[in-house]
Amino acid sequence: MQETTPLTAQQAQLLSQLVQGLSTEQLAWVRGFLAGINHSVKQSGAQAPAAAASATAPQLTILYGSQTGHAQEVAEHAKARAVAAGFKVDLFAMGDYKASRLKNDKLLLVAVSTQGEGEPPDDARDFYEFLHGEKAPKLQGTRFAVLGLGDSSYEKFCQAGKDFDARLAALGAERLVNRVDSDVDYDAPAERWIEESVEALKRVAAPVAASAGSAAGNDGFSLAALASGVAPAAAASQYSRKHPFEATVLENIKLSGRGSSKEVHHVELSLEGSGLTYEPGDALGVVVKNDDKLVDDLIDTLALDPQATTTTQDSTLTLRDAFLRAYDITTLSRAFLEKYAALAESTELKALLAVGNETALRDYLYGRDVLDVVRQFPARKVKAAEFVGTLRTLQPRLYSIASSLAANPEAVHITVGAVRYDSHGRARRGVASTYLADIAREGETVPVYIEANRNFKLPSDTNAPVIMIGPGTGIAPFRAFVEERQALDAPGKNWLFFGDRNFRTDFLYQREWQRYVKDGAVSKIDLAFSRDTEDKVYVQHRMREQGKELYSWLQDGAHLYVCGDADQMARDVNTALIDIVAEHGGLGADAAAEYVKTLQREKRYQRDVY
Ligand code: NDP
């Protein structure tokens, strides 16, 4: 029988505060979530088997590799679902999983996201390497299923999921269901994957009947919650990705100075009355809208009726509204081109998509959007529904939160770099960034929600030193970190590395940093302005100059954080870090790399990069 876990007094109080204004569905989810918290608190860590299952229940292991928390969210739902189906489930972040268990874990579900260049998340790298290495065990008799999470506009779409899936099979394990590669709108495919995997598990492992309690949903699972994108962090609020809060803009200030080659805004929004809370390191999801002119041009080019009704996943809209709010008309991907090439019956596009033409395709995709394609390869007499079927849903954009709630009750701040450039003869605008820069003026409202990031958190030990590396708008979460540490009187030292183009125009939040240095909230600050001198100076140059001290901070237990560009900066900073450890720790290259990996494993080296 499932153990019924009573709520703690604090949780009961929280629940009673929450019930007002929640729908039955939301209420059921919150109750389940709190029960889930109790459940995990009662366990001696995530490793403990689920209490719900009986001693004879088949054992299932669920692993997730998650950077922003989506894969973790799916894995948690899969766990709840499998527990309800009578399985005994162990759930692990890959970083916490003892690889020596693998040969004995005969039923395995894997949910893993992919980073920019096709790599697994930081926390999953060790397990990925182990699995792909010579020490990986033979896995005959193991049954598994893999869910990949990714973004189809990247060339290496869901590559980590593909790799795990292929490697597990190569080691002799047998698929329960085929791998699912889910795009940015992952809710429905993830839900389907969970359903099918659990059904397949039931077929191969014949679990004992689920207890009445778990079948009734006391395990914290609700498909509706998954479909609505409600994440645990948002549990205390009725607002979520699918039900964003209309936050009033309190302030929208241009941070970059006159003459800057960039345009960066500081935007403050009110969360008053929303119940939304966040921690430093979390992100603000902004539900965006496409540019009016771009939408009109696209409808004109397609010769469609803007007022025709279109049914989207959630509602019925006019075509114009659907293009404005429901569909992504800017990101060009291989998936779109494949569907559109069929619709337009374009042999030229089909040739571009042919095997062996990857470089030409990459060049074509760069700097173009949907309108470019439609103009260049017109589809004759296309129907609205057919065209809409080629598009992905418009996704909210995530901004690293730049404020601490402790210092700014009921408000949230973000740092927005407005993206504007010309390409292929047309002016282009970043969907969210220009919406925030131009339209989100004071008094207007912006639909928002909170996206928790469990992998980018200040140390719980307030004495621990913190090193922050955040060039450009990557500075945002570190403003939140320092505000928080100051508001909480955290005694730990703080060291900031910031870089940008020019000192005079691009020193973001300059006055605040100067004040923090003066009053001791920031113990050290190192700046790298890349375009003030003939030779580029970047944050990693400053790190190297300060290598001895940086290494001694690490030896003293410092936690190191990197935020910003993933492609170049984060990679170069990682190399610099390894070099610093090698030089000042007197270690060889391999040992230094291992030192840095250990920092990562211990969650003392965390990155929020894309
Ligand atoms: P910039 O692209 O202007 O870069 C900021 C500074 O970094 C500039 O001085 C730039 O120099 C320098 N830089 C360029 N290459 C490197 C390198 N290899 N190593 C170190 N520094 C380098 O900053 P933005 O604010 O425009 O963009 C920051 C990036 O971070 C964006 O890609 C954004 O998407 C991302 N970002 C990610 C966040 C997240 O993941 N949570 C949050 C915020 C931003 P120069 O241009 O002179 O070469």
Side-chain angles (χ1 to χ4, degrees), residues 262 400 473 500 530-531 536 538 540 564-565 572 608 610:
K262 305 206 303 185
S400 303
T473 47
D500 217 314
S530 55
R531 303 196 186 181
K536 295 254 180 188
Y538 290 155
Q540 60 271 25
D565 164 60
D572 294 348
D608 182 9
Y610 59 78

Side-chain angles (χ1 to χ4, degrees), residues 291-301 306 320 323 329:
D291 179 53
D292 285 84
K293 181 166 178 338
L294 182 66
V295 166
D296 292 337
D297 286 350
L298 185 60
I299 292 177
D300 275 357
T301 310
R320 187 168 193 279
F323 279 1
I329 57 169

Side-chain angles (χ1 to χ4, degrees), residues 28-47:
W29 190 86
V30 170
R31 195 186 300 114
F33 175 62
L34 291 177
I37 292 175
N38 271 0
H39 187 67
S40 52
V41 167
K42 285 196 141 205
Q43 293 172 351
S44 54
Q47 292 82 341

Side-chain angles (χ1 to χ4, degrees), residues 287-296 298-299 317-329 391 394 431 435 439:
V287 176
V288 293
K289 173 178 159 295
N290 284 310
D291 179 53
D292 285 84
K293 181 166 178 338
L294 182 66
V295 166
D296 292 337
L298 185 60
I299 292 177
L317 300 170
T318 65
L319 184 66
R320 187 168 193 279
D321 276 345
F323 279 1
L324 275 175
R325 296 172 200 285
Y327 292 105
D328 184 346
I329 57 169
L391 300 173
L394 183 60
V431 177
Y435 163 67
I439 298 169

Side-chain angles (χ1 to χ4, degrees), residues 262 264 398-400 415 417 471-477 499-502 508 528-531 536-540 563-566 568-570 572-573 608-610:
K262 305 206 303 185
V264 178
L398 296 179
Y399 284 88
S400 303
T415 315
T473 47
I475 191 75
D500 217 314
R501 293 181 182 173
N502 299 100
L508 306 179
F529 290 97
S530 55
R531 303 196 186 181
K536 295 254 180 188
V537 183
Y538 290 155
V539 281
Q540 60 271 25
C563 182
D565 164 60
Q568 301 294 327
M569 184 277 295
D572 294 348
V573 163
D608 182 9
V609 297
Y610 59 78

Side-chain angles (χ1 to χ4, degrees), residues 62-241:
I62 304 179
L63 302 179
Y64 62 85
S66 195
Q67 196 74 28
T68 58
H70 291 164
Q72 179 176 357
E73 187 191 323
V74 173
E76 282 166 358
H77 287 304
K79 172 179 174 175
R81 191 58 210 276
V83 168
F87 286 84
K88 190 171 147 204
V89 181
D90 288 357
L91 174 77
F92 297 96
M94 287 184 189
D96 297 333
Y97 180 65
K98 286 208 169 43
S100 56
R101 273 185 59 143
L102 183 61
K103 58 183 178 307
N104 298 320
D105 282 333
K106 296 299 181 192
L107 298 176
L108 196 64
L109 297 185
V110 174
V112 64
S113 64
T114 293
Q115 304 307 294
E117 297 291 308
E119 306 102 37
D122 287 348
D123 194 33
R125 283 178 199 216
D126 276 356
F127 181 61
Y128 179 94
E129 280 169 24
F130 166 79
L131 198 69
H132 287 80
E134 285 173 4
K135 289 191 188 148
K138 293 278 173 276
L139 294 176
Q140 271 84 12
T142 300
R143 306 289 190 101
F144 76 98
V146 173
L147 172 76
L149 293 99
D151 178 340
S152 65
S153 63
Y154 285 82
E155 200 177 331
K156 300 266 173 78
F157 174 52
C158 283
Q159 189 60 46
K162 290 174 186 168
D163 291 350
F164 274 109
D165 180 64
R167 184 62 179 158
L168 287 166
L171 291 169
E174 201 180 316
R175 288 185 187 87
L176 288 158
V177 295
N178 284 338
R179 185 190 75 240
V180 170
D181 297 336
S182 62
D183 207 343
V184 285
D185 30 7
Y186 62 91
D187 297 345
E191 189 180 346
R192 207 172 47 244
W193 178 76
I194 293 173
E195 278 289 312
E196 290 174 2
S197 298
V198 171
E199 284 310 308
L201 282 164
K202 287 202 289 200
R203 282 196 296 277
V204 301
V208 289
S211 68
S214 55
N218 281 351
D219 46 49
F221 175 70
S222 150
L223 275 182
L226 176 58
S228 72
V230 179
S237 170
Q238 60 181 303
Y239 298 105
S240 65
R241 186 154 58 109

